[in-house]
Amino acid sequence: MRPVRVTANRWKLGWEFDIEGLGATQARSLAGVERQVRDYLDTVDPGQDHSGWPIDLVLNLGDVAVEVGDARAAVTAAAAAQVEAGRQMRAVVAKLRGAGLSMADTAAVLGVSKGRVSQLV
């Protein structure tokens, strides 16, 4: 099923949701946009079940939209880097412990606590 494209435009009393080819509805916040759109669709076409319809939300944020995208991408990259850092730490702990270093020495080499080394083992 093709997603329903909804463009959210800010106005003084909240948000207007332009539903491509189907009309528009409004809400005070973005928090319930999917529910609001589905309620609108149920009102104009009550014989159809809209609960599973995918919604493609486009936020009309003007110039700040690029910054929002950049910030979200940075958060995603940071999460991926954290996962990779954990993988590397587990690998190096295994090598250090395999080389005979104690938990305390392994912790000192890596600059972490013995408890953290224990978690990584």
Side-chain angles (χ1 to χ4, degrees):
M1 172 177 287
R2 183 173 137 314
V4 176
R5 186 176 179 91
V6 177
T7 302
N9 298 296
R10 183 85 174 109
W11 69 299
K12 69 180 180 177
L13 296 178
W15 293 87
E16 179 178 81
F17 307 122
D18 292 320
I19 306 163
E20 186 176 59
L22 299 171
T25 186
Q26 301 166 344
R28 285 217 178 266
S29 94
L30 285 173
V33 62
E34 288 192 13
R35 187 187 77 249
Q36 180 72 21
V37 168
R38 286 193 176 94
D39 285 350
Y40 175 83
L41 294 173
D42 287 343
T43 299
V44 297
D45 185 9
Q48 176 71 44
D49 178 13
H50 301 97
S51 62
W53 285 28
I55 295 175
D56 178 20
L57 180 63
V58 177
L59 299 173
N60 186 1
L61 298 172
D63 295 340
V64 75
V66 171
E67 293 176 51
V68 169
D70 291 347
R72 292 177 82 172
V75 168
T76 299
Q82 188 172 18
V83 168
E84 177 58 18
R87 187 200 62 76
Q88 289 179 11
M89 285 291 279
R90 285 186 297 280
V92 77
V93 164
K95 287 180 181 178
L96 291 171
R97 295 290 289 141
L101 271 70
S102 68
M103 296 285 264
D105 287 345
T106 300
V109 166
L110 296 174
V112 298
S113 69
K114 291 189 295 185
R116 181 65 182 137
V117 171
S118 179
Q119 289 174 336
L120 292 167
V121 169

